[in-house]
Amino acid sequence: MRIEDFLEKQEKRELQLVSYLIHSGGEADYAELEEHLDITKASLESTLDSIAYSLRPLSENIALDYDGRAVRLWMDELFSMQELQHFYLKQSVKVQLLDYLFRNHEFSLTQLAPQLALSESSLSRKIKELNRYLKEFELKIWNGRVQGEELQIRYFYYLFYRFVQGKEALKEREAGISLQIVQTMENYLQVSFEPENQARVFLWLQIAQHRMHTKKTVSIRLKENMTPYMEDKLYQKIRSMLWRFSSRYSVEPDEEDAQMLFVFLLSSGVLPEPFFHDYRLTRNRNSPAASLDTYLVETIIIQYGYRKLPYMLERRMYHTLSQIHAALYFFKGDLEVHDRLFLLEQEQKIAEESVRSFAETLREITVEKLKLPNETNNGLMEWSLLGYFSVLVMVTMEMRQVLRVGIDLKHLPMYRETTISLLGLLIEKVNGVEAEECQPDKPYDLIVTDRREAEPLETGGKVYVLSELFSPFDQKNIERILQSLKK
């Protein structure tokens, strides 16, 4: 589910247009935008006029300039796309409906329609649209309530208040108790959350506290998935902590509340890496996520032909992979805040071509090992590809072989320093390469020179004689040589 799915068609289009301008460097011609949005020029003009009207309250932060041929975007240096999204989302009827449902647990059409300034038929239509998107989370609004597994409801509302409504919307009576639980948890587990992660734990607990008052909750899949984790030491600590806390405060958690808090901590990345490392050494290695973590780390090592990974790199890999696998094992669906395809495209620009295909292989292994359904409409599964891609980039960047190139120019005494600097920048476009002016008695994998007399390297390296300075022909040949040296 994309964050724009809470908006109406016209509002979606307006955000898509601004997003495209950001990705295009702040400017695009009409033909590009018409093709991207799949609209006519007349519709584009109408959309631009609509945006200009919508953005009037934000005129000091963002503005569009268009002249019939091109569109240019201006944004204040302190303004972001996220703030623009929130500006639109605050006015969304679907957002107001979901917020009302969370606070009141249930509603009737006759009661809620007037509050949202809608007819009952319009409200029913909005609910039908929302259910189409909530299906990804295996949730639906039915008989005036959000129905589905309780873990999924809490998970969805955690994403909703974190990215859509804003966590400041939950400043309620539960806030005091939730803050006390966070502090108790830090003391009991002997862990210190970073400020941002502490805020995320606090938000989850606020939602959990509010949902404790809900009747007829469903936790069938949670109980099944938790079976391998019932003796987990971290889970037992969390369970014990909640029970001790409830004996002193007016909190009534049950077994499922402890399980859901454990799942959140395991999958959200809020646990500091050193804490997770200590936990990993004691956890049940046969649990679904743990065994998959180990299997994929070994698969990556074999794929790249490493004998062993550096200790700290391996720790970071396990920390990241465990979050991906716990989320896929326990949750369904995701809320796409950033453009996933754009992020993948950007990461591919700095990584080897084979990384993307290997990331897809890792995801296929995960689907098989965790026995996950091969769903086409699962945002969490789609985002896992970006997670694997990031892990592989992290490994390849850390383990890459750094090639040293010496630039030896003698025929341009007047422009030599400038030419060497520019040539070095071109050569360093190849990942894992460092280029500098050739120094006597210093080893190099490759010497790039403008004269044939340069002697071959004693280390067995290569010499390349430039045909002409800065020629694409030379650049292509140098890149080919460097790629062959990296193998």
Side-chain angles (χ1 to χ4, degrees):
M1 180 179 185
R2 294 178 59 85
I3 198 167
E4 292 89 353
D5 292 334
F6 293 105
L7 303 175
E8 303 305 314
K9 184 177 180 180
Q10 179 61 28
E11 296 165 335
K12 278 187 186 180
R13 182 180 292 170
E14 292 177 14
L15 278 182
Q16 287 170 358
L17 189 150
V18 174
S19 177
Y20 185 83
L21 288 171
I22 291 174
H23 293 163
S24 303
E27 184 173 353
D29 60 37
Y30 271 42
E32 286 179 70
L33 291 168
E34 289 164 23
E35 182 180 357
H36 179 70
L37 299 174
D38 193 22
I39 57 177
T40 64
K41 185 175 181 179
S43 296
L44 176 60
E45 289 279 5
S46 175
T47 299
L48 289 169
D49 291 340
S50 177
I51 295 177
Y53 181 82
S54 299
L55 296 183
R56 286 187 305 170
L58 301 175
S59 59
E60 295 183 359
N61 299 300
I62 182 172
L64 292 182
D65 176 48
Y66 49 101
D67 56 11
R69 295 185 301 274
V71 184
R72 287 164 290 278
L73 170 70
W74 172 84
M75 286 176 63
D76 183 81
E77 294 176 358
L78 300 178
F79 193 72
S80 68
M81 185 65 182
Q82 187 177 24
E83 287 185 75
L84 182 62
Q85 288 173 335
H86 285 165
F87 173 76
Y88 277 87
L89 290 167
K90 283 180 182 177
Q91 306 166 57
S92 167
V93 172
K94 294 173 187 173
V95 170
Q96 295 172 36
L97 169 59
L98 286 166
D99 182 60
Y100 182 92
L101 260 176
F102 177 76
R103 296 176 187 279
N104 298 279
H105 301 304
E106 56 185 342
F107 72 96
S108 67
L109 290 176
T110 54
Q111 171 193 28
L112 184 56
Q115 294 189 41
L116 299 178
L118 294 172
S119 65
E120 291 185 24
S121 60
S122 294
L123 179 55
S124 295
R125 189 166 60 253
K126 300 295 180 191
I127 292 171
K128 187 176 180 180
E129 291 172 6
L130 271 175
N131 279 338
R132 192 163 63 248
Y133 298 118
L134 290 175
K135 186 177 181 180
E136 180 184 331
F137 293 86
E138 297 189 350
L139 300 174
K140 64 179 178 179
I141 301 171
W142 187 254
N143 290 335
R145 298 174 62 241
V146 178
Q147 298 188 357
E149 286 264 337
E150 180 62 22
L151 176 62
Q152 283 296 118
I153 295 175
R154 296 188 189 189
Y155 168 62
F156 171 78
Y157 270 113
Y158 168 76
L159 298 176
F160 178 79
Y161 283 109
R162 186 180 176 204
F163 296 118
V164 179
Q165 183 75 333
K167 49 184 176 285
E168 64 276 0
L170 285 182
K171 292 179 179 177
E172 301 177 344
R173 60 186 179 85
E174 287 91 355
I177 294 176
S178 298
L179 184 59
Q180 290 170 0
I181 296 178
V182 173
Q183 294 169 345
T184 301
M185 189 186 309
E186 287 187 314
N187 293 332
Y188 198 80
L189 299 181
Q190 295 184 319
V191 62
S192 179
F193 296 116
E194 294 180 2
E196 172 60 25
N197 289 336
Q198 188 180 68
R200 292 169 62 188
V201 176
F202 176 63
L203 174 60
W204 178 271
L205 290 170
Q206 279 187 287
I207 292 167
Q209 285 293 302
H210 191 81
R211 291 291 303 176
M212 281 183 190
H213 307 300
T214 308
K215 299 177 182 179
K216 299 179 181 179
T217 60
V218 178
S219 295
I220 297 172
R221 195 172 75 233
L222 172 66
K223 292 177 181 178
E224 292 175 354
N225 287 351
M226 275 296 297
T227 301
Y229 293 92
M230 294 306 290
E231 302 303 319
D232 186 279
K233 292 185 178 180
L234 178 59
Y235 168 64
Q236 290 296 328
K237 280 187 175 182
I238 291 169
R239 184 177 181 277
S240 174
M241 178 207 70
L242 280 182
W243 256 250
R244 291 190 183 189
F245 187 89
S246 65
S247 66
R248 291 178 288 165
Y249 299 91
S250 56
V251 180
E252 298 180 6
D254 56 22
E255 190 81 29
E256 285 75 30
D257 289 305
Q259 292 174 358
M260 286 184 275
L261 178 56
F262 167 72
V263 169
F264 170 74
L265 293 176
L266 208 58
S267 62
S268 61
V270 297
L271 294 173
E273 186 186 304
F275 178 90
F276 175 80
H277 173 67
D278 293 339
Y279 160 68
R280 184 173 68 84
L281 298 178
T282 62
R283 66 179 176 172
N284 178 7
R285 297 184 181 183
N286 294 320
S287 64
S291 60
L292 182 57
D293 294 347
T294 302
Y295 187 85
L296 288 197
V297 168
E298 292 175 352
T299 300
I300 292 169
I301 291 173
I302 293 170
Q303 171 72 15
Y304 289 113
Y306 303 136
R307 286 184 299 174
K308 187 174 177 59
L309 295 177
Y311 176 67
M312 294 305 295
L313 173 61
E314 188 171 308
R315 277 179 51 163
R316 292 204 305 275
M317 285 177 66
Y318 273 106
H319 190 232
T320 304
L321 288 172
S322 69
Q323 296 164 45
I324 298 172
H325 298 153
L328 287 171
Y329 180 68
F330 285 106
F331 294 128
K332 297 283 186 179
D334 196 21
L335 184 58
E336 186 173 325
V337 180
H338 302 287
D339 190 329
R340 173 178 50 83
L341 294 178
F342 177 76
L343 292 177
L344 265 175
E345 185 181 299
Q346 299 313 302
E347 287 207 353
Q348 279 182 279
K349 289 180 180 179
I350 62 170
E352 304 290 340
E353 291 182 6
S354 60
V355 173
R356 170 67 185 268
S357 61
F358 189 40
E360 291 174 343
T361 299
L362 296 181
R363 185 171 63 175
E364 290 169 4
I365 293 172
T366 295
V367 170
E368 179 187 351
K369 295 291 184 182
L370 293 183
K371 297 180 173 59
L372 300 174
N374 196 4
E375 300 163 318
T376 56
N377 185 32
N378 186 341
L380 199 57
M381 183 65 69
E382 294 299 320
W383 272 98
S384 70
L385 181 63
L386 188 64
Y388 289 133
F389 197 90
S390 298
V391 169
L392 294 178
V393 170
M394 174 176 68
V395 174
T396 54
M397 295 291 279
E398 182 100 1
M399 298 294 289
R400 68 184 180 180
Q401 176 187 0
V402 178
L403 299 177
R404 302 185 62 82
V405 177
I407 303 174
D408 181 24
L409 302 181
K410 300 296 184 184
H411 293 168
L412 292 171
M414 187 179 297
Y415 310 110
R416 187 171 58 83
E417 291 185 7
T418 302
T419 304
I420 288 173
S421 296
L422 293 174
L423 192 57
L425 290 174
L426 286 174
I427 292 172
E428 287 181 347
K429 285 185 177 180
V430 179
N431 285 333
V433 174
E434 294 179 358
E436 65 180 13
E437 182 176 5
C438 202
Q439 304 294 322
D441 304 321
K442 202 169 183 179
Y444 294 99
D445 299 285
L446 173 67
I447 286 182
V448 175
T449 181
D450 59 354
R451 69 194 199 287
R452 190 178 179 83
E453 301 83 58
E455 295 183 5
L457 306 181
E458 293 182 3
T459 57
K462 289 180 174 291
V463 174
Y464 182 82
V465 180
L466 294 166
S467 59
E468 187 173 339
L469 283 174
F470 308 125
S471 74
F473 175 79
D474 285 331
Q475 188 175 344
K476 185 176 180 180
N477 283 335
I478 291 170
E479 287 182 4
R480 175 180 51 78
I481 292 170
L482 291 172
Q483 294 293 355
S484 68
L485 290 173
K486 291 171 69 176
K487 292 181 180 178

